[in-house]
Coordinates of all heavy atoms in Angstrom, one line a residue:
M86 N -0.9 -1.9 -6.5 CA -1.2 -3.3 -6.2 C -1.1 -4.1 -7.4 O -0.5 -5.2 -7.5 CB -2.6 -3.3 -5.6 CG -3.1 -4.7 -5.2 SD -4.0 -5.6 -6.5 CE -5.4 -4.7 -6.5
R87 N -1.8 -3.7 -8.5 CA -1.7 -4.5 -9.7 C -0.4 -4.6 -10.3 O 0.0 -5.5 -10.9 CB -2.8 -3.9 -10.7 CG -4.2 -4.2 -10.4 CD -5.1 -3.9 -11.5 NE -6.5 -4.3 -11.2 CZ -7.4 -3.5 -10.7 NH1 -7.0 -2.1 -10.6 NH2 -8.5 -3.8 -10.4
G88 N 0.3 -3.4 -10.2 CA 1.8 -3.5 -10.7 C 2.6 -4.5 -10.1 O 3.4 -5.3 -10.7
A89 N 2.4 -4.6 -8.8 CA 3.1 -5.6 -7.9 C 2.7 -7.1 -8.4 O 3.5 -7.9 -8.6 CB 2.9 -5.4 -6.5
L90 N 1.4 -7.2 -8.4 CA 0.9 -8.6 -8.8 C 1.3 -9.0 -10.2 O 1.8 -10.1 -10.4 CB -0.7 -8.6 -8.7 CG -1.3 -8.5 -7.3 CD1 -2.8 -8.5 -7.4 CD2 -0.7 -9.5 -6.3
Y91 N 1.2 -8.0 -11.1 CA 1.5 -8.4 -12.5 C 3.0 -8.6 -12.8 O 3.4 -9.2 -13.7 CB 1.0 -7.4 -13.5 CG -0.4 -7.2 -13.5 CD1 -1.0 -6.0 -14.1 CD2 -1.3 -8.1 -13.1 CE1 -2.3 -5.8 -14.2 CE2 -2.7 -7.9 -13.1 CZ -3.2 -6.8 -13.6 OH -4.6 -6.6 -13.7
N92 N 3.9 -8.2 -11.8 CA 5.3 -8.3 -11.9 C 5.9 -9.2 -10.9 O 7.2 -9.2 -10.7 CB 5.9 -6.8 -11.9 CG 5.6 -6.1 -13.1 OD1 6.2 -6.4 -14.2 ND2 4.7 -5.2 -13.1
G93 N 5.1 -10.1 -10.2 CA 5.5 -11.0 -9.3 C 6.3 -10.5 -8.1 O 7.1 -11.2 -7.6
V94 N 5.9 -9.3 -7.6 CA 6.4 -8.8 -6.3 C 5.7 -9.6 -5.2 O 4.6 -9.5 -5.0 CB 6.1 -7.3 -6.3 CG1 6.6 -6.7 -4.9 CG2 6.9 -6.5 -7.4
E95 N 6.5 -10.3 -4.5 CA 6.0 -11.0 -3.3 C 5.7 -10.1 -2.2 O 6.3 -9.1 -2.0 CB 7.1 -12.0 -2.9 CG 7.2 -13.1 -3.9 CD 8.1 -14.3 -3.4 OE1 8.3 -14.4 -2.2 OE2 8.7 -15.0 -4.2
G96 N 4.7 -10.4 -1.5 CA 4.4 -9.6 -0.3 C 3.1 -8.7 -0.5 O 2.6 -8.1 0.4
I97 N 2.6 -8.6 -1.7 CA 1.4 -7.9 -1.9 C 0.4 -9.0 -2.3 O 0.6 -9.7 -3.3 CB 1.5 -6.8 -3.1 CG1 2.4 -5.7 -2.7 CG2 0.1 -6.4 -3.5 CD1 1.8 -4.8 -1.6
I98 N -0.7 -9.1 -1.7 CA -1.7 -10.2 -1.9 C -2.9 -9.6 -2.8 O -3.3 -10.2 -3.8 CB -2.3 -10.8 -0.7 CG1 -1.2 -11.2 0.3 CG2 -3.3 -11.9 -0.9 CD1 -0.3 -12.3 -0.2
G99 N -3.4 -8.5 -2.3 CA -4.6 -7.8 -3.1 C -5.8 -8.8 -3.2 O -6.4 -8.9 -4.3
E100 N -6.1 -9.3 -2.1 CA -7.1 -10.4 -2.1 C -8.5 -9.9 -2.6 O -9.3 -10.6 -3.3 CB -7.4 -10.8 -0.6 CG -8.3 -12.0 -0.4 CD -8.2 -12.5 1.0 OE1 -9.0 -11.9 1.8 OE2 -7.4 -13.4 1.2
C101 N -8.8 -8.6 -2.4 CA -10.2 -8.1 -2.8 C -10.1 -7.5 -4.2 O -11.1 -7.0 -4.7 CB -10.7 -7.2 -1.8 SG -10.0 -5.5 -1.9
G102 N -8.9 -7.5 -4.9 CA -8.8 -7.1 -6.2 C -8.8 -5.4 -6.3 O -9.2 -4.9 -7.3
G103 N -8.6 -4.8 -5.2 CA -8.6 -3.4 -5.3 C -9.9 -2.8 -4.8 O -10.1 -1.6 -5.0
G104 N -10.8 -3.6 -4.2 CA -12.0 -3.2 -3.8 C -12.2 -2.4 -2.4 O -13.1 -2.1 -2.0
L105 N -11.0 -2.2 -1.9 CA -10.9 -1.4 -0.6 C -11.6 -2.2 0.5 O -12.4 -1.7 1.3 CB -11.4 -0.1 -0.7 CG -11.0 0.9 0.4 CD1 -9.4 1.0 0.6 CD2 -11.6 2.4 0.1
S106 N -11.3 -3.5 0.6 CA -12.0 -4.3 1.6 C -11.2 -5.4 2.2 O -11.7 -6.3 2.9 CB -13.4 -4.9 1.0 OG -13.0 -5.8 0.0
C107 N -9.8 -5.4 2.0 CA -9.1 -6.5 2.6 C -7.8 -6.0 3.3 O -7.4 -6.7 4.2 CB -8.8 -7.5 1.4 SG -7.4 -6.9 0.4
A108 N -7.2 -5.0 2.9 CA -5.9 -4.5 3.5 C -4.7 -5.5 3.2 O -3.8 -5.4 4.0 CB -6.1 -4.2 5.0
T109 N -4.8 -6.4 2.3 CA -3.7 -7.3 2.1 C -2.7 -6.7 1.0 O -1.9 -7.4 0.4 CB -4.1 -8.7 1.6 OG1 -4.9 -8.6 0.4 CG2 -5.0 -9.3 2.7
C110 N -2.9 -5.4 0.7 CA -2.0 -4.7 -0.1 C -1.3 -3.6 0.5 O -0.8 -2.6 -0.1 CB -2.9 -4.1 -1.5 SG -4.2 -2.9 -0.8
H111 N -1.3 -3.7 1.8 CA -0.6 -2.8 2.7 C 0.9 -2.5 2.3 O 1.5 -3.5 2.0 CB -0.6 -3.3 4.2 CG -0.1 -2.4 5.1 ND1 0.2 -2.9 6.4 CD2 0.3 -1.1 5.2 CE1 0.7 -1.9 7.1 NE2 0.8 -0.8 6.4
C112 N 1.2 -1.2 2.3 CA 2.7 -0.9 2.0 C 3.0 0.3 2.6 O 2.2 1.0 3.2 CB 2.9 -0.8 0.4 SG 2.1 0.7 -0.3
Y113 N 4.3 0.5 2.7 CA 4.8 1.8 3.3 C 5.4 2.6 2.2 O 6.4 2.2 1.6 CB 5.9 1.4 4.4 CG 5.4 0.5 5.5 CD1 6.0 -0.8 5.5 CD2 4.5 0.9 6.4 CE1 5.6 -1.6 6.6 CE2 4.1 0.0 7.4 CZ 4.6 -1.3 7.5 OH 4.2 -2.1 8.5
V114 N 4.9 3.7 2.0 CA 5.4 4.7 0.9 C 6.5 5.5 1.6 O 6.3 6.1 2.6 CB 4.3 5.5 0.5 CG1 4.9 6.6 -0.6 CG2 3.2 4.7 -0.2
D115 N 7.7 5.5 0.9 CA 8.8 6.3 1.3 C 8.3 7.8 1.5 O 7.6 8.4 0.7 CB 9.9 6.2 0.3 CG 11.2 6.9 0.8 OD1 11.3 8.2 0.6 OD2 12.0 6.3 1.3
A116 N 8.7 8.4 2.6 CA 8.3 9.8 2.9 C 8.5 10.7 1.8 O 7.7 11.7 1.6 CB 9.0 10.2 4.2
A117 N 9.5 10.6 1.0 CA 9.8 11.5 -0.1 C 8.8 11.4 -1.1 O 8.7 12.3 -2.0 CB 11.2 11.2 -0.7
W118 N 8.0 10.4 -1.2 CA 7.0 10.2 -2.2 C 5.5 10.5 -1.7 O 4.6 10.4 -2.5 CB 7.1 8.8 -2.7 CG 8.4 8.6 -3.5 CD1 9.6 8.3 -3.1 CD2 8.4 8.7 -5.0 NE1 10.4 8.2 -4.1 CE2 9.8 8.4 -5.3 CE3 7.6 9.0 -5.9 CZ2 10.2 8.5 -6.5 CZ3 8.0 9.0 -7.3 CH2 9.3 8.8 -7.6
T119 N 5.3 10.8 -0.5 CA 4.0 11.0 0.1 C 3.1 11.9 -0.8 O 2.0 11.5 -1.1 CB 4.1 11.4 1.5 OG1 4.8 10.5 2.3 CG2 2.7 11.6 2.1
A120 N 3.6 13.1 -1.0 CA 2.8 14.1 -1.8 C 2.5 13.6 -3.2 O 1.3 13.8 -3.7 CB 3.5 15.4 -1.9
R121 N 3.5 12.9 -3.8 CA 3.2 12.5 -5.2 C 2.2 11.3 -5.3 O 1.6 11.1 -6.4 CB 4.6 12.1 -5.8 CG 5.3 13.3 -6.3 CD 6.3 13.0 -7.4 NE 7.6 13.0 -6.8 CZ 8.6 12.7 -7.4 NH1 8.7 12.5 -8.8 NH2 9.9 12.6 -6.9
V122 N 2.1 10.5 -4.3 CA 1.0 9.4 -4.3 C -0.3 9.9 -3.8 O -1.2 9.1 -3.7 CB 1.5 8.2 -3.5 CG1 2.7 7.7 -4.1 CG2 1.6 8.5 -2.1
G123 N -0.4 11.2 -3.6 CA -1.7 11.8 -3.2 C -1.8 12.1 -1.7 O -3.0 12.2 -1.3
G124 N -0.8 12.0 -1.0 CA -0.8 12.3 0.4 C -0.9 11.0 1.2 O -0.7 9.9 0.7
P125 N -1.0 11.1 2.5 CA -1.2 10.0 3.4 C -2.5 9.2 3.2 O -3.3 9.7 2.3 CB -1.1 10.5 4.8 CG -1.6 12.0 4.6 CD -1.2 12.4 3.2
S126 N -2.7 8.1 3.9 CA -3.9 7.3 3.7 C -5.1 8.1 3.9 O -5.2 9.0 4.7 CB -3.8 6.1 4.6 OG -3.7 6.5 6.0
S127 N -6.2 7.7 3.2 CA -7.5 8.4 3.3 C -8.2 7.8 4.6 O -7.8 6.8 5.1 CB -8.3 8.0 2.1 OG -8.6 6.6 2.1
P128 N -9.3 8.5 5.0 CA -10.0 7.9 6.2 C -10.5 6.5 5.9 O -10.5 5.6 6.8 CB -11.2 8.9 6.3 CG -10.6 10.1 5.8 CD -9.7 9.8 4.7
A129 N -10.9 6.2 4.7 CA -11.4 4.8 4.4 C -10.2 3.8 4.5 O -10.3 2.7 5.0 CB -12.0 4.8 3.0
E130 N -9.0 4.2 4.0 CA -7.8 3.4 4.1 C -7.5 3.1 5.5 O -7.2 2.1 6.0 CB -6.7 4.0 3.3 CG -6.7 3.8 1.9 CD -5.5 4.5 1.3 OE1 -4.3 4.0 1.4 OE2 -5.6 5.6 0.7
R131 N -7.5 4.2 6.3 CA -7.1 4.1 7.7 C -8.0 3.2 8.5 O -7.6 2.4 9.3 CB -7.1 5.5 8.4 CG -5.8 6.2 8.1 CD -5.6 7.4 8.9 NE -6.7 8.4 8.8 CZ -6.7 9.4 7.9 NH1 -5.7 9.4 7.0 NH2 -7.7 10.2 7.8
E132 N -9.3 3.2 8.1 CA -10.2 2.3 8.8 C -9.9 0.8 8.5 O -9.9 0.0 9.4 CB -11.7 2.5 8.3 CG -12.8 1.8 9.0 CD -14.1 2.2 8.6 OE1 -14.4 3.5 8.4 OE2 -14.9 1.4 8.3
L133 N -9.6 0.5 7.3 CA -9.1 -0.8 6.9 C -7.8 -1.2 7.5 O -7.6 -2.3 7.9 CB -9.0 -1.0 5.5 CG -10.3 -1.5 4.7 CD1 -9.9 -1.8 3.2 CD2 -10.6 -3.0 5.3
L134 N -6.9 -0.2 7.5 CA -5.6 -0.5 8.0 C -5.7 -0.8 9.6 O -4.7 -1.5 10.1 CB -4.7 0.7 7.8 CG -4.2 0.8 6.3 CD1 -3.6 2.2 6.1 CD2 -3.1 -0.3 6.1
D135 N -6.7 -0.4 10.2 CA -6.8 -0.8 11.7 C -6.8 -2.3 11.8 O -6.4 -2.8 12.8 CB -8.1 -0.2 12.2 CG -8.1 1.2 12.6 OD1 -6.9 1.7 12.6 OD2 -9.2 1.8 12.7
G136 N -7.2 -3.0 10.8 CA -7.2 -4.5 10.8 C -6.1 -5.1 10.1 O -6.0 -6.4 9.9
A137 N -5.0 -4.3 9.8 CA -3.9 -4.9 9.0 C -3.1 -5.8 9.8 O -3.0 -5.7 11.1 CB -3.0 -3.8 8.5
A138 N -2.5 -6.8 9.3 CA -1.7 -7.8 10.1 C -0.3 -7.2 10.5 O 0.1 -7.7 11.6 CB -1.4 -9.0 9.2
A139 N 0.2 -6.3 9.9 CA 1.5 -5.7 10.4 C 1.4 -4.4 10.9 O 0.2 -3.7 10.8 CB 2.4 -5.7 9.1
E140 N 2.4 -3.9 11.5 CA 2.4 -2.5 12.1 C 1.9 -1.5 11.1 O 2.3 -1.4 9.9 CB 3.8 -2.2 12.6 CG 3.9 -0.8 13.1 CD 5.5 -0.5 13.3 OE1 6.4 -1.2 12.8 OE2 5.7 0.6 13.9
V141 N 1.1 -0.6 11.6 CA 0.6 0.5 10.8 C 1.4 1.7 11.2 O 1.5 2.1 12.3 CB -0.9 0.7 11.0 CG1 -1.4 2.0 10.2 CG2 -1.7 -0.5 10.6
R142 N 2.0 2.3 10.2 CA 2.8 3.5 10.4 C 2.2 4.8 9.6 O 1.3 4.6 8.8 CB 4.2 3.2 9.8 CG 4.8 2.0 10.4 CD 6.2 1.7 9.7 NE 6.7 0.5 10.0 CZ 7.7 -0.2 9.3 NH1 8.2 0.4 8.2 NH2 8.2 -1.3 9.7
P143 N 2.7 6.0 10.0 CA 2.2 7.1 9.3 C 2.3 7.0 7.7 O 1.5 7.6 7.0 CB 3.1 8.2 9.8 CG 3.5 7.8 11.1 CD 3.7 6.2 11.0
E144 N 3.3 6.2 7.3 CA 3.5 6.2 5.8 C 2.7 4.9 5.2 O 2.9 4.6 4.0 CB 5.0 6.1 5.5 CG 5.7 4.8 5.9 CD 6.3 4.9 7.4 OE1 5.8 5.6 8.2 OE2 7.3 4.2 7.6
S145 N 1.9 4.3 6.0 CA 1.1 3.1 5.6 C 0.1 3.6 4.5 O -0.6 4.6 4.6 CB 0.3 2.5 6.7 OG 1.3 1.8 7.5
R146 N 0.0 2.8 3.4 CA -1.0 3.0 2.4 C -1.5 1.6 2.0 O -0.8 0.7 2.1 CB -0.5 3.8 1.2 CG -0.1 5.2 1.4 CD -1.3 6.2 1.6 NE -2.4 6.0 0.6 CZ -2.5 6.8 -0.5 NH1 -1.7 7.7 -0.8 NH2 -3.5 6.4 -1.3
L147 N -2.7 1.6 1.4 CA -3.2 0.5 0.7 C -2.8 0.7 -0.7 O -3.2 1.7 -1.4 CB -4.7 0.4 0.9 CG -5.1 0.1 2.3 CD1 -6.6 0.0 2.5 CD2 -4.5 -1.2 2.8
S148 N -1.9 -0.1 -1.2 CA -1.4 0.1 -2.5 C -2.4 0.1 -3.7 O -2.2 0.7 -4.7 CB -0.3 -0.9 -2.8 OG -0.7 -2.2 -2.8
C149 N -3.6 -0.5 -3.5 CA -4.6 -0.5 -4.5 C -5.2 0.9 -4.6 O -5.9 1.2 -5.7 CB -5.6 -1.5 -4.3 SG -6.7 -1.2 -2.8
Q150 N -4.9 1.8 -3.7 CA -5.5 3.1 -3.8 C -4.5 4.1 -4.4 O -4.8 5.3 -4.4 CB -6.0 3.5 -2.4 CG -7.0 2.6 -1.8 CD -8.2 2.5 -2.8 OE1 -8.9 3.5 -3.1 NE2 -8.6 1.2 -3.2
I151 N -3.4 3.6 -4.8 CA -2.4 4.6 -5.4 C -2.5 4.4 -6.9 O -2.2 3.3 -7.5 CB -1.0 4.2 -5.0 CG1 -0.9 4.4 -3.4 CG2 0.0 5.0 -5.6 CD1 0.4 3.9 -2.8
A152 N -2.9 5.4 -7.6 CA -3.1 5.4 -9.1 C -1.7 5.6 -9.7 O -1.1 6.7 -9.5 CB -4.0 6.4 -9.6
M153 N -1.2 4.6 -10.4 CA 0.1 4.7 -11.0 C 0.1 5.4 -12.3 O -0.7 5.2 -13.1 CB 0.6 3.2 -11.3 CG 1.0 2.5 -10.0 SD 2.2 3.3 -9.0 CE 3.7 3.2 -10.0
T154 N 1.0 6.3 -12.4 CA 1.2 7.1 -13.6 C 2.7 7.2 -13.9 O 3.5 6.9 -13.0 CB 0.7 8.6 -13.5 OG1 1.5 9.2 -12.5 CG2 -0.8 8.5 -12.9
A155 N 3.1 7.7 -15.0 CA 4.4 7.9 -15.4 C 5.1 8.9 -14.3 O 6.3 8.7 -14.0 CB 4.6 8.5 -16.8
H156 N 4.3 9.7 -13.7 CA 4.8 10.7 -12.7 C 5.4 9.9 -11.5 O 6.2 10.5 -10.8 CB 3.7 11.6 -12.3 CG 4.0 12.7 -11.3 ND1 4.9 13.7 -11.7 CD2 3.6 13.0 -10.1 CE1 5.0 14.5 -10.6 NE2 4.2 14.1 -9.8
L157 N 5.0 8.7 -11.3 CA 5.5 7.9 -10.1 C 6.6 6.9 -10.5 O 6.9 6.1 -9.7 CB 4.3 7.1 -9.5 CG 3.2 7.9 -8.9 CD1 2.1 7.1 -8.3 CD2 3.7 8.8 -7.8
D158 N 7.2 7.1 -11.6 CA 8.3 6.3 -12.0 C 9.4 6.4 -11.0 O 9.8 7.5 -10.6 CB 8.9 6.7 -13.4 CG 10.0 5.8 -14.0 OD1 10.0 4.6 -13.5 OD2 10.8 6.3 -14.7
G159 N 9.9 5.3 -10.4 CA 10.9 5.3 -9.3 C 10.3 5.3 -7.9 O 11.0 5.4 -6.9
L160 N 9.0 5.2 -7.9 CA 8.3 5.2 -6.5 C 9.0 4.2 -5.6 O 9.2 3.0 -6.0 CB 6.8 4.9 -6.7 CG 6.0 4.7 -5.4 CD1 6.0 6.0 -4.7 CD2 4.6 4.2 -5.8
V161 N 9.2 4.6 -4.3 CA 9.8 3.7 -3.4 C 8.8 3.4 -2.3 O 8.3 4.2 -1.7 CB 11.1 4.4 -2.6 CG1 11.7 3.5 -1.6 CG2 12.1 4.7 -3.6
V162 N 8.5 2.0 -2.3 CA 7.6 1.5 -1.3 C 8.3 0.3 -0.6 O 9.2 -0.3 -1.2 CB 6.2 1.0 -1.8 CG1 5.5 2.2 -2.5 CG2 6.4 -0.1 -2.8
R163 N 7.9 0.2 0.6 CA 8.5 -0.9 1.4 C 7.3 -1.8 1.8 O 6.1 -1.3 2.0 CB 9.3 -0.5 2.6 CG 10.5 0.2 2.2 CD 11.4 0.8 3.3 NE 12.5 1.4 2.7 CZ 12.6 2.7 2.3 NH1 11.5 3.4 2.1 NH2 13.7 3.1 1.7
L164 N 7.5 -3.1 2.0 CA 6.4 -4.0 2.3 C 6.5 -4.4 3.8 O 7.5 -4.7 4.3 CB 6.5 -5.2 1.4 CG 6.3 -4.9 -0.1 CD1 6.4 -6.1 -1.0 CD2 5.0 -4.1 -0.4
P165 N 5.3 -4.6 4.3 CA 5.2 -5.1 5.7 C 5.7 -6.5 5.7 O 5.7 -7.3 4.7 CB 3.8 -4.9 6.1 CG 3.1 -5.0 4.9 CD 4.0 -4.4 3.8
E166 N 6.0 -7.0 7.0 CA 6.6 -8.4 7.1 C 5.5 -9.4 6.8 O 5.8 -10.5 6.5 CB 7.0 -8.5 8.5 CG 6.0 -8.4 9.6 CD 6.6 -8.3 11.0 OE1 7.6 -7.7 11.3 OE2 5.9 -8.9 11.9
K167 N 4.2 -9.0 6.9 CA 3.1 -10.0 6.6 C 1.9 -9.2 6.3 O 1.7 -8.0 6.6 CB 2.8 -10.9 7.8 CG 2.5 -10.2 9.1 CD 2.4 -11.1 10.2 CE 2.0 -10.3 11.5 NZ 1.7 -11.2 12.7
Q168 N 0.9 -9.9 5.5 CA -0.3 -9.4 5.1 C -1.4 -10.1 5.8 O -2.6 -9.6 5.7 CB -0.5 -9.4 3.6 CG 0.6 -8.6 2.8 CD 0.4 -7.1 2.8 OE1 -0.5 -6.6 3.6 NE2 1.2 -6.4 2.1
Y169 N -1.2 -11.2 6.4 CA -2.1 -12.0 7.2 C -1.6 -12.3 8.5 O -0.4 -12.4 8.8 CB -2.3 -13.4 6.5 CG -3.1 -13.4 5.2 CD1 -2.4 -13.7 4.0 CD2 -4.5 -13.1 5.2 CE1 -3.0 -13.7 2.8 CE2 -5.2 -13.1 3.9 CZ -4.4 -13.4 2.8 OH -5.1 -13.5 1.6
D170 N -2.6 -12.5 9.5 CA -2.2 -12.9 10.8 C -2.0 -14.4 10.8 O -2.5 -15.1 10.0 CB -3.2 -12.6 11.9 CG -3.1 -11.1 12.2 OD1 -1.9 -10.6 12.4 OD2 -4.1 -10.4 12.6
Ligands
LIG211 S1 -6.4 -5.0 -2.6 FE1 -7.9 -5.2 -1.0 S2 -7.8 -3.2 0.0 FE2 -6.2 -3.1 -1.5

């Protein structure tokens, strides 16, 4: 989420600043990267994703919960069509 915000990636809002309370950092992690980002969404993420503005898919994650490391260089994520209703 911060990487997107600091680099002008449109479509990530991050309204709560990574506090796991807004779901405006929703993204779809490419299936090939699921394990490397720590797996699918956590129960806390899924609870928030229930209120996401866009379709929630098995590959949905809250990007603020993905800890970026050099190991994730090349990570492929796609963004939902909207973060707000
Ligand atoms: S920035 Fe709010 S839940 Fe991720």
Side-chain angles (χ1 to χ4, degrees):
M86 178 275 287
R87 286 198 178 93
L90 293 180
Y91 295 164
N92 290 286
V94 176
E95 293 185 21
I97 293 288
I98 309 297
E100 189 173 84
C101 76
L105 196 55
S106 62
C107 73
T109 62
C110 62
H111 182 194
C112 69
Y113 304 115
V114 174
D115 187 274
W118 290 85
T119 302
R121 282 201 259 179
V122 299
S126 56
S127 69
E130 282 178 73
R131 284 194 294 279
E132 187 174 318
L133 262 184
L134 284 165
D135 281 345
E140 175 189 9
V141 176
R142 304 175 187 165
E144 67 270 30
S145 287
R146 290 291 312 264
L147 294 176
S148 58
C149 69
Q150 301 302 302
I151 299 173
M153 291 303 294
T154 67
H156 186 62
L157 294 180
D158 186 23
L160 173 65
V161 176
V162 299
R163 293 175 180 81
L164 300 179
E166 62 191 41
K167 59 184 178 177
Q168 298 286 6
Y169 287 110
D170 279 323

